[in-house]
Amino acid sequence: MNEPMNHSRRRILLTGGLAAAALALGRGAAAAEGPRLSPDDPQAKALGYVENASSVDPAQWPKFADPSGQNCANCALYQGGDADWGACGIFPGKQVAGAGWCNAWVPAG
Ligand code: SF4
């Protein structure tokens, strides 16, 4: 007697699940656009880009020295949201590491 309702509920749950999966896939695809920026790229080198902010030499890049805690993930130019890698306005078409840093860092928010 309740069988038709169960079917329709199942369909709604399934459709909702697929929509959520599509959204998640869409977000993943957006975050994964473009190759990862190589720290050896000439423009990356010019700006002191590294994939891990802990390896920045503050003597060479004094902007990083104070305050520390700067990284791509908390830079206003990072477009990756919570993803480990994401686009950056300074390096179009490439992805930078959320844990990375470069001398163009500006505070988010
Ligand atoms: S501009 Fe910001 S997000 Fe882009 S590489 Fe430099 S620190 Fe990272």
Side-chain angles (χ1 to χ4, degrees):
M1 190 158 157
N2 285 338
E3 198 58 27
M5 187 179 280
N6 285 343
H7 276 243
S8 115
R9 179 180 287 172
R10 204 171 294 143
R11 197 174 304 128
I12 288 167
L13 288 174
L14 185 61
T15 305
L18 287 173
L23 276 173
L25 281 173
R27 263 199 299 273
E33 269 175 29
R36 293 180 176 183
L37 175 67
S38 167
D40 293 328
D41 175 285
Q43 191 185 350
K45 274 189 161 176
L47 287 171
Y49 170 76
V50 291
E51 291 181 352
N52 192 324
S54 66
S55 64
V56 177
D57 176 5
Q60 187 178 3
W61 303 102
K63 178 180 173 179
F64 182 78
D66 182 27
S68 60
Q70 301 171 2
N71 60 33
C72 292
N74 61 28
C75 172
L77 298 167
Y78 186 64
Q79 297 161 19
D82 293 335
D84 290 342
W85 291 81
C88 161
I90 296 291
F91 303 104
K94 301 279 175 64
Q95 291 187 80
V96 299
W101 182 88
C102 91
N103 201 45
W105 182 89
V106 284

